[in-house]
Amino acid sequence: MSGGPESNKVVIIGGGPGGYESALVAAQLGADVTVVDTDGLGGSAVLTDCVPSKTLIATAELMTDVSGAAELGVNFHDHQGDAATTISVDLARVNTRVKQLAADQSADIARRLAKEDVEVVRGYGRLDGPGRVVVGDQSIDADAILIATGAAPRTLPTAQPDGERILTWEQVYDLTEVPSELIVVGSGVTGAEFASAYLALGIPVTLVSSRDRVLPGEDADASAVLEEVSKRRGMKVLSESRMESVTRSGDVVTVTLTDGRSIQGSHCILALGSIPNTADMGLEEAGVILKEGGFVNVDRVSRTSARGVYSAGDCTGVLMLASVAAMQGRIAMWHFLGDTVHPLDLKKVSSNVFTAPEIATVGWTQQAVDSGEMNAEVVMLPLSGNPRAKMQGVRDGFVKLLCRPGTGIVVGGVVVGPRASELIHPVSIAVAESLTADQLAQAFTVYPSMSGSIAEAARRLHRV
Ligand SMILES: Cc1cc2nc3c(=O)[nH]c(=O)nc-3n(C[C@H](O)[C@H](O)[C@H](O)COP(=O)(O)OP(=O)(O)OC[C@H]3O[C@@H](n4cnc5c(N)ncnc54)[C@H](O)[C@@H]3O)c2cc1C
């Protein structure tokens, strides 16, 4: 429980996963904790980004499953029982559910913090030197400060959202009518997820990518599978197509490319990356050095250049994931409050792209092997040979494992397929605990199961 006259005073600016998870750790270790937040607990992760998008994708997943129902012998009939119905999505209901779920999740976090005696101050926090936070006319002295202010969608002067037809990812849940033709600009994780989700909801989608392939930062085999499946399902993918501007005239949105081509649709989602929320906060005046692009410079225990000031999450630009934000925040508190602390190790982070199929990764990459940065043996096994996959009508996807040649220690992996986000966990454990491929292969898997392919890939890495 937090508090006590002798306890350390910790002030956290930002109530997202970087902020609220560190508040829980600080309270557990006996600190007196205040969280300053503008928008509501949970931050962008819960209110506009991660939680809402994954809730939308839950409906998209159901639609993807339903689209494969006929192969498994399931027919849909209308109420007269004589004709196949068309299945449609009630986007207004989906969005109401998304927003309610996000609000409930935020309220859950608020209750949890209240139970741990964490004080929450609503408002915009600024530093007044390295030991004081100012919120409106309130001034709070602190022994340690954590900056966890997150990031916001990047827009361009030539591509300004209007909240109706030209949208950032934060604005899509206000749509009440179904777009007749959606253009998604940006083929990173966010763009790929929205393009895949809306396609599954039955909306014609064009994905505009400035690079030669979608998901340029992910495993090349994985992005090839995703692109192939998406095109097969009807998505138009424009690669090497850089957006110049997005304009609206009445109900029509026009995306103009730098090569002069243009595409028209009813709506456009801008997925152009994020900018950190670090401006106008008195950071540099307090001695906090910012990197290029305005991100806070931190070391592996989340310290900034100012004594007693830590930073976590998207505002550091280290790896923009809720799980990493939370871990950076916990590490900061463990470090400041003198508990055991392991510096952040990005090679142990598992992450997932929630497209159809999903793409989950952990550890070293094939790209690092190909470039000579890492020496590893690689095995890749298509899911199409897996008995459970056959039963479920799954043809697309694979398991890839990377292990060190001499020791056989597993150093990375990729899973592409339905629920890859769940399937990656045994590989994550192997990477985190430096297990060998033989050890991974030794553990029983259920027959039949998708995870059988992970054990099979590990067996193929056995060397005598
Ligand atoms: C569409 C989308 C989907 C995503 N999906 C996933 C996913 O599936 N899994 C995953 O791990 N990650 C996902 N992410 C990334 C994840 O949302 C972020 O990494 C996470 O939100 C970072 O948490 P944070 O605590 O740093 O910041 P945030 O969640 O952004 O929270 C920061 C909070 O601080 C507030 N704030 C800012 N400035 C101040 C100030 N001066 N004073 C007071 N309050 C302030 C902000 O308003 C905000 O509420 C997704 C991102 C996007 C855009």
Side-chain angles (χ1 to χ4, degrees), residues 13-19 36-40 42-46 48-50 53-54 123-126 148-151 169 190 193-194 274 277 281 312-315 319-323 325 352 354:
I13 310 181
V36 180
D37 186 62
T38 43
D39 293 354
S44 305
V46 169
T48 55
D49 296 358
C50 178
S53 67
K54 263 75 265 183
Y124 190 87
R126 284 185 184 81
T149 48
W169 61 73
T190 299
E193 287 188 350
F194 279 111
S274 306
N277 297 324
M281 279 188 62
D314 282 7
C315 64
L319 186 55
M320 288 193 170
L321 288 173
S323 52
N352 191 61
F354 289 84

Side-chain angles (χ1 to χ4, degrees), residues 244-400:
E244 168 84 44
S245 67
V246 183
T247 52
R248 174 185 171 184
S249 172
D251 291 351
V252 178
V253 169
T254 303
V255 176
T256 306
L257 306 178
T258 48
D259 62 11
R261 284 178 297 155
S262 67
I263 325 137
Q264 295 193 322
S266 66
H267 294 77
C268 173
I269 299 176
L270 302 169
L272 308 173
S274 306
I275 49 165
N277 297 324
T278 53
D280 189 28
M281 279 188 62
L283 293 179
E284 285 172 304
E285 295 83 341
V288 175
I289 293 176
L290 302 181
K291 292 182 286 193
E292 204 188 327
F295 293 98
V296 181
N297 196 27
V298 285
D299 65 11
R300 287 175 60 212
V301 289
S302 310
R303 280 180 298 196
T304 71
S305 50
R307 200 178 160 77
V309 181
Y310 292 79
S311 186
D314 282 7
C315 64
T316 68
V318 168
L319 186 55
M320 288 193 170
L321 288 173
S323 52
V324 173
M327 188 55 84
Q328 284 180 292
R330 291 186 203 111
I331 287 173
M333 294 302 109
W334 289 324
H335 184 269
F336 173 67
L337 295 165
D339 206 351
T340 314
V341 59
H342 299 286
L344 184 70
D345 184 353
L346 294 179
K347 284 286 170 276
K348 293 185 175 163
V349 176
S350 58
S351 63
N352 191 61
V353 187
F354 289 84
T355 41
E358 292 185 6
I359 299 171
T361 40
V362 63
W364 286 92
T365 61
Q366 168 110 50
Q367 195 194 8
V369 176
D370 294 345
S371 69
E373 193 191 342
M374 179 63 172
N375 185 12
E377 289 180 32
V378 183
V379 73
M380 185 169 137
L381 211 61
L383 276 187
S384 54
N386 177 298
R388 186 86 189 277
K390 288 179 196 163
M391 294 164 201
Q392 295 185 330
V394 172
R395 289 184 192 80
D396 305 302
F398 62 81
V399 168
K400 185 185 275 192

